[in-house]
mmCIF file of all heavy atoms in Angstrom:
data_model
loop_
_atom_site.group_PDB
_atom_site.id
_atom_site.type_symbol
_atom_site.label_atom_id
_atom_site.label_comp_id
_atom_site.label_asym_id
_atom_site.label_seq_id
_atom_site.Cartn_x
_atom_site.Cartn_y
_atom_site.Cartn_z
ATOM 1 N N PHE A 102 103.030 106.046 81.638
ATOM 2 C CA PHE A 102 101.723 105.528 81.229
ATOM 3 C C PHE A 102 100.584 106.155 82.033
ATOM 4 O O PHE A 102 99.504 106.417 81.497
ATOM 5 C CB PHE A 102 101.696 104.007 81.371
ATOM 6 C CG PHE A 102 102.595 103.322 80.379
ATOM 7 C CD1 PHE A 102 103.319 102.198 80.738
ATOM 8 C CD2 PHE A 102 102.731 103.788 79.090
ATOM 9 C CE1 PHE A 102 104.150 101.568 79.838
ATOM 10 C CE2 PHE A 102 103.556 103.168 78.176
ATOM 11 C CZ PHE A 102 104.268 102.044 78.557
ATOM 12 N N PHE A 103 100.818 106.382 83.326
ATOM 13 C CA PHE A 103 99.816 107.117 84.100
ATOM 14 C C PHE A 103 99.663 108.532 83.548
ATOM 15 O O PHE A 103 98.551 109.082 83.524
ATOM 16 C CB PHE A 103 100.218 107.160 85.577
ATOM 17 C CG PHE A 103 99.827 105.945 86.358
ATOM 18 C CD1 PHE A 103 100.780 105.053 86.806
ATOM 19 C CD2 PHE A 103 98.492 105.690 86.659
ATOM 20 C CE1 PHE A 103 100.428 103.924 87.529
ATOM 21 C CE2 PHE A 103 98.115 104.581 87.384
ATOM 22 C CZ PHE A 103 99.092 103.683 87.827
ATOM 23 N N GLY A 104 100.780 109.120 83.112
ATOM 24 C CA GLY A 104 100.712 110.441 82.501
ATOM 25 C C GLY A 104 99.908 110.442 81.211
ATOM 26 O O GLY A 104 99.147 111.375 80.942
ATOM 27 N N ALA A 105 100.062 109.380 80.410
ATOM 28 C CA ALA A 105 99.288 109.269 79.167
ATOM 29 C C ALA A 105 97.797 109.171 79.473
ATOM 30 O O ALA A 105 96.968 109.775 78.780
ATOM 31 C CB ALA A 105 99.752 108.054 78.370
ATOM 32 N N LEU A 106 97.458 108.411 80.522
ATOM 33 C CA LEU A 106 96.056 108.306 80.914
ATOM 34 C C LEU A 106 95.510 109.655 81.366
ATOM 35 O O LEU A 106 94.401 110.046 80.994
ATOM 36 C CB LEU A 106 95.915 107.274 82.037
ATOM 37 C CG LEU A 106 94.517 107.131 82.652
ATOM 38 C CD1 LEU A 106 93.511 106.660 81.613
ATOM 39 C CD2 LEU A 106 94.560 106.174 83.839
ATOM 40 N N TYR A 107 96.303 110.372 82.168
ATOM 41 C CA TYR A 107 95.866 111.690 82.641
ATOM 42 C C TYR A 107 95.668 112.638 81.455
ATOM 43 O O TYR A 107 94.673 113.382 81.397
ATOM 44 C CB TYR A 107 96.901 112.263 83.606
ATOM 45 C CG TYR A 107 96.583 113.673 84.059
ATOM 46 C CD1 TYR A 107 95.703 113.890 85.114
ATOM 47 C CD2 TYR A 107 97.146 114.772 83.408
ATOM 48 C CE1 TYR A 107 95.396 115.183 85.524
ATOM 49 C CE2 TYR A 107 96.836 116.061 83.801
ATOM 50 C CZ TYR A 107 95.965 116.260 84.866
ATOM 51 O OH TYR A 107 95.656 117.542 85.255
ATOM 52 N N TYR A 108 96.609 112.636 80.518
ATOM 53 C CA TYR A 108 96.515 113.538 79.367
ATOM 54 C C TYR A 108 95.246 113.263 78.564
ATOM 55 O O TYR A 108 94.513 114.185 78.187
ATOM 56 C CB TYR A 108 97.746 113.380 78.483
ATOM 57 C CG TYR A 108 97.758 114.297 77.286
ATOM 58 C CD1 TYR A 108 98.300 115.578 77.382
ATOM 59 C CD2 TYR A 108 97.220 113.893 76.064
ATOM 60 C CE1 TYR A 108 98.300 116.442 76.289
ATOM 61 C CE2 TYR A 108 97.212 114.743 74.975
ATOM 62 C CZ TYR A 108 97.760 116.006 75.085
ATOM 63 O OH TYR A 108 97.745 116.853 74.009
ATOM 64 N N ALA A 109 94.995 111.979 78.290
ATOM 65 C CA ALA A 109 93.826 111.638 77.485
ATOM 66 C C ALA A 109 92.528 111.970 78.210
ATOM 67 O O ALA A 109 91.582 112.501 77.617
ATOM 68 C CB ALA A 109 93.866 110.149 77.134
ATOM 69 N N ARG A 110 92.516 111.678 79.498
ATOM 70 C CA ARG A 110 91.269 111.791 80.257
ATOM 71 C C ARG A 110 90.939 113.220 80.658
ATOM 72 O O ARG A 110 89.765 113.628 80.620
ATOM 73 C CB ARG A 110 91.378 110.907 81.499
ATOM 74 C CG ARG A 110 90.142 110.837 82.354
ATOM 75 C CD ARG A 110 90.337 109.770 83.414
ATOM 76 N NE ARG A 110 89.229 109.701 84.347
ATOM 77 C CZ ARG A 110 89.126 108.795 85.321
ATOM 78 N NH1 ARG A 110 90.088 107.901 85.465
ATOM 79 N NH2 ARG A 110 88.107 108.784 86.137
ATOM 80 N N HIS A 111 91.945 114.004 81.040
ATOM 81 C CA HIS A 111 91.695 115.327 81.603
ATOM 82 C C HIS A 111 92.064 116.482 80.682
ATOM 83 O O HIS A 111 91.742 117.628 80.988
ATOM 84 C CB HIS A 111 92.450 115.474 82.929
ATOM 85 C CG HIS A 111 91.985 114.522 83.986
ATOM 86 N ND1 HIS A 111 90.788 114.671 84.654
ATOM 87 C CD2 HIS A 111 92.554 113.382 84.477
ATOM 88 C CE1 HIS A 111 90.643 113.684 85.528
ATOM 89 N NE2 HIS A 111 91.683 112.886 85.434
ATOM 90 N N LEU A 112 92.748 116.197 79.580
ATOM 91 C CA LEU A 112 93.128 117.265 78.662
ATOM 92 C C LEU A 112 92.540 117.058 77.269
ATOM 93 O O LEU A 112 91.823 117.914 76.751
ATOM 94 C CB LEU A 112 94.655 117.370 78.584
ATOM 95 C CG LEU A 112 95.365 117.769 79.883
ATOM 96 C CD1 LEU A 112 96.878 117.778 79.690
ATOM 97 C CD2 LEU A 112 94.892 119.122 80.389
ATOM 98 N N SER A 113 92.837 115.907 76.644
ATOM 99 C CA SER A 113 92.409 115.694 75.252
ATOM 100 C C SER A 113 90.896 115.660 75.100
ATOM 101 O O SER A 113 90.329 116.348 74.234
ATOM 102 C CB SER A 113 93.014 114.390 74.718
ATOM 103 O OG SER A 113 94.405 114.496 74.596
ATOM 104 N N LEU A 114 90.221 114.849 75.907
ATOM 105 C CA LEU A 114 88.773 114.724 75.751
ATOM 106 C C LEU A 114 88.041 116.039 76.029
ATOM 107 O O LEU A 114 87.127 116.405 75.273
ATOM 108 C CB LEU A 114 88.236 113.606 76.644
ATOM 109 C CG LEU A 114 88.637 112.187 76.215
ATOM 110 C CD1 LEU A 114 88.084 111.155 77.197
ATOM 111 C CD2 LEU A 114 88.140 111.883 74.806
ATOM 112 N N PRO A 115 88.418 116.787 77.081
ATOM 113 C CA PRO A 115 87.769 118.107 77.249
ATOM 114 C C PRO A 115 88.007 119.042 76.075
ATOM 115 O O PRO A 115 87.094 119.789 75.676
ATOM 116 C CB PRO A 115 88.415 118.631 78.535
ATOM 117 C CG PRO A 115 88.810 117.413 79.293
ATOM 118 C CD PRO A 115 89.240 116.427 78.242
ATOM 119 N N TRP A 116 89.233 119.024 75.521
ATOM 120 C CA TRP A 116 89.495 119.877 74.360
ATOM 121 C C TRP A 116 88.597 119.500 73.189
ATOM 122 O O TRP A 116 87.993 120.349 72.539
ATOM 123 C CB TRP A 116 90.958 119.745 73.935
ATOM 124 C CG TRP A 116 91.925 120.392 74.887
ATOM 125 C CD1 TRP A 116 91.631 121.267 75.891
ATOM 126 C CD2 TRP A 116 93.337 120.196 74.911
ATOM 127 N NE1 TRP A 116 92.772 121.623 76.550
ATOM 128 C CE2 TRP A 116 93.846 120.990 75.973
ATOM 129 C CE3 TRP A 116 94.226 119.436 74.163
ATOM 130 C CZ2 TRP A 116 95.194 121.044 76.288
ATOM 131 C CZ3 TRP A 116 95.570 119.490 74.469
ATOM 132 C CH2 TRP A 116 96.059 120.282 75.518
ATOM 133 N N LEU A 117 88.526 118.183 72.916
ATOM 134 C CA LEU A 117 87.729 117.734 71.766
ATOM 135 C C LEU A 117 86.242 118.001 71.957
ATOM 136 O O LEU A 117 85.498 118.125 70.975
ATOM 137 C CB LEU A 117 87.968 116.241 71.533
ATOM 138 C CG LEU A 117 89.376 115.859 71.077
ATOM 139 C CD1 LEU A 117 89.531 114.348 71.027
ATOM 140 C CD2 LEU A 117 89.684 116.464 69.711
ATOM 141 N N SER A 118 85.789 118.099 73.205
ATOM 142 C CA SER A 118 84.373 118.367 73.449
ATOM 143 C C SER A 118 84.072 119.864 73.468
ATOM 144 O O SER A 118 82.912 120.260 73.612
ATOM 145 C CB SER A 118 83.942 117.754 74.783
ATOM 146 O OG SER A 118 84.597 118.388 75.874
ATOM 147 N N GLY A 119 85.133 120.688 73.369
ATOM 148 C CA GLY A 119 84.930 122.135 73.288
ATOM 149 C C GLY A 119 84.820 122.836 74.615
ATOM 150 O O GLY A 119 84.326 123.969 74.684
ATOM 151 N N GLU A 120 85.273 122.205 75.693
ATOM 152 C CA GLU A 120 85.185 122.852 77.004
ATOM 153 C C GLU A 120 86.106 124.062 77.068
ATOM 154 O O GLU A 120 87.162 124.105 76.418
ATOM 155 C CB GLU A 120 85.550 121.852 78.102
ATOM 156 C CG GLU A 120 84.526 120.737 78.272
ATOM 157 C CD GLU A 120 84.848 119.834 79.438
ATOM 158 O OE1 GLU A 120 85.724 120.191 80.249
ATOM 159 O OE2 GLU A 120 84.220 118.767 79.548
ATOM 160 N N GLY A 121 85.709 125.041 77.882
ATOM 161 C CA GLY A 121 86.526 126.231 78.061
ATOM 162 C C GLY A 121 86.625 127.039 76.776
ATOM 163 O O GLY A 121 85.626 127.365 76.137
ATOM 164 N N SER A 122 87.882 127.331 76.393
ATOM 165 C CA SER A 122 88.111 128.143 75.196
ATOM 166 C C SER A 122 88.322 127.295 73.950
ATOM 167 O O SER A 122 88.727 127.810 72.907
ATOM 168 C CB SER A 122 89.351 129.031 75.406
ATOM 169 O OG SER A 122 90.497 128.232 75.646
ATOM 170 N N LYS A 123 88.018 125.996 74.046
ATOM 171 C CA LYS A 123 88.283 125.079 72.929
ATOM 172 C C LYS A 123 87.031 124.802 72.093
ATOM 173 O O LYS A 123 86.933 123.767 71.447
ATOM 174 C CB LYS A 123 88.850 123.762 73.462
ATOM 175 C CG LYS A 123 90.112 123.913 74.298
ATOM 176 C CD LYS A 123 91.273 124.438 73.491
ATOM 177 C CE LYS A 123 92.536 124.518 74.338
ATOM 178 N NZ LYS A 123 93.696 125.006 73.576
ATOM 179 N N ILE A 124 86.081 125.716 72.118
ATOM 180 C CA ILE A 124 84.834 125.484 71.398
ATOM 181 C C ILE A 124 85.059 125.269 69.913
ATOM 182 O O ILE A 124 84.400 124.437 69.273
ATOM 183 C CB ILE A 124 83.838 126.646 71.642
ATOM 184 C CG1 ILE A 124 82.499 126.353 70.974
ATOM 185 C CG2 ILE A 124 84.457 127.953 71.162
ATOM 186 C CD1 ILE A 124 81.781 125.171 71.557
ATOM 187 N N GLU A 125 86.023 125.991 69.331
ATOM 188 C CA GLU A 125 86.283 125.842 67.900
ATOM 189 C C GLU A 125 86.832 124.454 67.573
ATOM 190 O O GLU A 125 86.585 123.919 66.488
ATOM 191 C CB GLU A 125 87.266 126.915 67.424
ATOM 192 C CG GLU A 125 86.673 128.305 67.319
ATOM 193 C CD GLU A 125 85.528 128.347 66.304
ATOM 194 O OE1 GLU A 125 85.638 127.659 65.264
ATOM 195 O OE2 GLU A 125 84.545 129.044 66.553
ATOM 196 N N THR A 126 87.589 123.881 68.519
ATOM 197 C CA THR A 126 88.095 122.518 68.303
ATOM 198 C C THR A 126 86.939 121.556 68.124
ATOM 199 O O THR A 126 86.942 120.692 67.230
ATOM 200 C CB THR A 126 88.962 122.074 69.495
ATOM 201 O OG1 THR A 126 90.038 122.990 69.679
ATOM 202 C CG2 THR A 126 89.517 120.672 69.276
ATOM 203 N N ASN A 127 85.929 121.712 68.950
ATOM 204 C CA ASN A 127 84.762 120.840 68.856
ATOM 205 C C ASN A 127 83.965 121.103 67.589
ATOM 206 O O ASN A 127 83.578 120.160 66.885
ATOM 207 C CB ASN A 127 83.884 121.031 70.093
ATOM 208 C CG ASN A 127 82.623 120.182 70.043
ATOM 209 O OD1 ASN A 127 81.539 120.684 69.763
ATOM 210 N ND2 ASN A 127 82.776 118.892 70.292
ATOM 211 N N LEU A 128 83.744 122.346 67.283
ATOM 212 C CA LEU A 128 82.914 122.683 66.118
ATOM 213 C C LEU A 128 83.578 122.271 64.811
ATOM 214 O O LEU A 128 82.907 121.805 63.881
ATOM 215 C CB LEU A 128 82.622 124.180 66.107
ATOM 216 C CG LEU A 128 81.761 124.703 67.262
ATOM 217 C CD1 LEU A 128 81.619 126.208 67.165
ATOM 218 C CD2 LEU A 128 80.397 124.020 67.259
ATOM 219 N N GLN A 129 84.897 122.423 64.741
ATOM 220 C CA GLN A 129 85.603 122.150 63.501
ATOM 221 C C GLN A 129 85.942 120.663 63.323
ATOM 222 O O GLN A 129 85.918 120.154 62.203
ATOM 223 C CB GLN A 129 86.897 122.969 63.439
ATOM 224 C CG GLN A 129 86.689 124.470 63.414
ATOM 225 C CD GLN A 129 85.977 124.923 62.147
ATOM 226 O OE1 GLN A 129 86.109 124.334 61.078
ATOM 227 N NE2 GLN A 129 85.190 125.999 62.280
ATOM 228 N N LEU A 130 86.246 119.979 64.419
ATOM 229 C CA LEU A 130 86.712 118.597 64.311
ATOM 230 C C LEU A 130 85.631 117.575 64.630
ATOM 231 O O LEU A 130 85.376 116.665 63.849
ATOM 232 C CB LEU A 130 87.924 118.382 65.232
ATOM 233 C CG LEU A 130 89.168 119.202 64.912
ATOM 234 C CD1 LEU A 130 90.279 118.902 65.916
ATOM 235 C CD2 LEU A 130 89.660 118.899 63.492
ATOM 236 N N TRP A 131 85.005 117.691 65.799
ATOM 237 C CA TRP A 131 84.040 116.673 66.240
ATOM 238 C C TRP A 131 82.783 117.332 66.785
ATOM 239 O O TRP A 131 82.509 117.288 67.980
ATOM 240 C CB TRP A 131 84.666 115.773 67.310
ATOM 241 C CG TRP A 131 85.861 115.032 66.818
ATOM 242 C CD1 TRP A 131 87.167 115.337 67.052
ATOM 243 C CD2 TRP A 131 85.859 113.870 66.008
ATOM 244 N NE1 TRP A 131 87.988 114.442 66.438
ATOM 245 C CE2 TRP A 131 87.217 113.516 65.780
ATOM 246 C CE3 TRP A 131 84.857 113.072 65.433
ATOM 247 C CZ2 TRP A 131 87.584 112.421 65.012
ATOM 248 C CZ3 TRP A 131 85.228 111.985 64.675
ATOM 249 C CH2 TRP A 131 86.556 111.664 64.464
ATOM 250 N N PRO A 132 81.982 117.937 65.939
ATOM 251 C CA PRO A 132 80.750 118.580 66.422
ATOM 252 C C PRO A 132 79.819 117.559 67.063
ATOM 253 O O PRO A 132 79.614 116.459 66.553
ATOM 254 C CB PRO A 132 80.149 119.170 65.141
ATOM 255 C CG PRO A 132 80.766 118.395 64.027
ATOM 256 C CD PRO A 132 82.143 118.047 64.485
ATOM 257 N N GLY A 133 79.303 117.932 68.207
ATOM 258 C CA GLY A 133 78.381 117.046 68.907
ATOM 259 C C GLY A 133 79.040 116.108 69.893
ATOM 260 O O GLY A 133 78.345 115.451 70.678
ATOM 261 N N PHE A 134 80.375 116.051 69.892
ATOM 262 C CA PHE A 134 81.056 115.152 70.830
ATOM 263 C C PHE A 134 81.017 115.726 72.239
ATOM 264 O O PHE A 134 81.322 116.894 72.456
ATOM 265 C CB PHE A 134 82.502 114.924 70.408
ATOM 266 C CG PHE A 134 83.305 114.147 71.416
ATOM 267 C CD1 PHE A 134 83.051 112.796 71.629
ATOM 268 C CD2 PHE A 134 84.294 114.763 72.164
ATOM 269 C CE1 PHE A 134 83.788 112.071 72.562
ATOM 270 C CE2 PHE A 134 85.034 114.059 73.092
ATOM 271 C CZ PHE A 134 84.773 112.707 73.293
ATOM 272 N N GLU A 135 80.626 114.892 73.197
ATOM 273 C CA GLU A 135 80.554 115.313 74.592
ATOM 274 C C GLU A 135 81.583 114.538 75.409
ATOM 275 O O GLU A 135 81.754 113.328 75.230
ATOM 276 C CB GLU A 135 79.152 115.080 75.154
ATOM 277 C CG GLU A 135 78.073 115.911 74.468
ATOM 278 C CD GLU A 135 76.706 115.666 75.067
ATOM 279 O OE1 GLU A 135 76.612 114.839 76.006
ATOM 280 O OE2 GLU A 135 75.739 116.289 74.612
ATOM 281 N N ASN A 136 82.232 115.267 76.312
ATOM 282 C CA ASN A 136 83.259 114.664 77.146
ATOM 283 C C ASN A 136 82.634 113.719 78.167
ATOM 284 O O ASN A 136 81.633 114.050 78.811
ATOM 285 C CB ASN A 136 84.061 115.745 77.872
ATOM 286 C CG ASN A 136 85.140 115.170 78.766
ATOM 287 O OD1 ASN A 136 85.661 114.082 78.510
ATOM 288 N ND2 ASN A 136 85.472 115.885 79.818
ATOM 289 N N GLY A 137 83.214 112.568 78.326
ATOM 290 C CA GLY A 137 82.767 111.599 79.327
ATOM 291 C C GLY A 137 83.780 110.478 79.442
ATOM 292 O O GLY A 137 84.511 110.192 78.487
ATOM 293 N N TRP A 138 83.824 109.892 80.595
ATOM 294 C CA TRP A 138 84.760 108.782 80.818
ATOM 295 C C TRP A 138 84.026 107.650 81.505
ATOM 296 O O TRP A 138 83.282 107.902 82.448
ATOM 297 C CB TRP A 138 85.945 109.239 81.680
ATOM 298 C CG TRP A 138 87.063 108.241 81.730
ATOM 299 C CD1 TRP A 138 87.307 107.324 82.712
ATOM 300 C CD2 TRP A 138 88.079 108.058 80.746
ATOM 301 N NE1 TRP A 138 88.403 106.578 82.405
ATOM 302 C CE2 TRP A 138 88.908 107.009 81.197
ATOM 303 C CE3 TRP A 138 88.369 108.657 79.527
ATOM 304 C CZ2 TRP A 138 90.002 106.553 80.470
ATOM 305 C CZ3 TRP A 138 89.464 108.210 78.817
ATOM 306 C CH2 TRP A 138 90.277 107.173 79.287
#
Side-chain angles (χ1 to χ4, degrees):
F102 292 142
F103 276 110
L106 175 62
Y107 175 83
Y108 181 88
R110 184 171 176 176
H111 296 286
L112 296 177
S113 293
L114 290 178
W116 289 346
L117 293 174
S118 66
E120 292 185 12
S122 60
K123 303 295 183 179
I124 184 65
E125 286 299 322
T126 302
N127 178 257
L128 294 177
Q129 296 295 329
L130 297 179
W131 299 101
F134 173 70
E135 296 181 359
N136 180 28
W138 191 262

